[in-house]
Amino acid sequence: FLVCSSPRQVMAAMHACGCDVHVTAEQAHALAEKEGLALVKSSRSATGFAGVTKGSSRARPYQVLDTQWTIDGTSGKKRRKSLGSFFTAEHAALVHARHVAEV
């Protein structure tokens, strides 16, 4: 039995066990409603959702970045950590909503 308190922990646990979870658009909306979260739409985003970008992966094209900027210890550049890549924009929006709720 595994308890994860953040999206990063969920992604780390999924990668550690070698499993992958595909959340459909409908499931993401249902989970958001159940958790009292909103999948925030954005007309400025190519994905249609705030906090979700298009990545280069064809397998999991939707990416979520951390809302906080950090300084890279090696290059000294400002960057945001990836919270993961996802099959659907709605799943990525759900992860973004969960992250915003916990920050």
Side-chain angles (χ1 to χ4, degrees), residues 42 44-55 61-63 89-90:
S42 171
R44 296 185 321 181
S45 172
T47 65
F49 293 97
V52 179
T53 60
K54 278 278 229 184
Y62 301 100
Q63 185 177 26
E90 290 81 2

Side-chain angles (χ1 to χ4, degrees), residues 6 18 25 29 32 37 46 49 65 78 95:
S6 74
H29 283 287
L37 300 171
F49 293 97
L65 299 175
K78 281 176 54 172
V95 170

Side-chain angles (χ1 to χ4, degrees), residues 29 31-39 94 97-98 101:
H29 283 287
L31 286 167
E33 185 176 331
K34 181 179 178 183
E35 296 173 29
L37 300 171
L39 304 185
L94 175 62
R98 286 174 175 164

Side-chain angles (χ1 to χ4, degrees), residues 6 9 44 48 51 64 72 74 82 84 86 99:
S6 74
Q9 287 179 337
R44 296 185 321 181
V64 179
D72 184 299
T74 308
S82 172
F86 306 91
H99 176 69

Side-chain angles (χ1 to χ4, degrees), residues 7-8 50-52 63-70 78-84 92-93 95-103:
R8 280 192 205 124
V52 179
Q63 185 177 26
V64 179
L65 299 175
D66 194 337
T67 55
Q68 303 294 317
W69 289 89
T70 59
K78 281 176 54 172
R79 57 180 21 194
R80 296 185 296 168
K81 292 182 184 177
S82 172
L83 299 179
V95 170
H96 181 261
R98 286 174 175 164
H99 176 69
V100 168
E102 74 179 28
V103 172

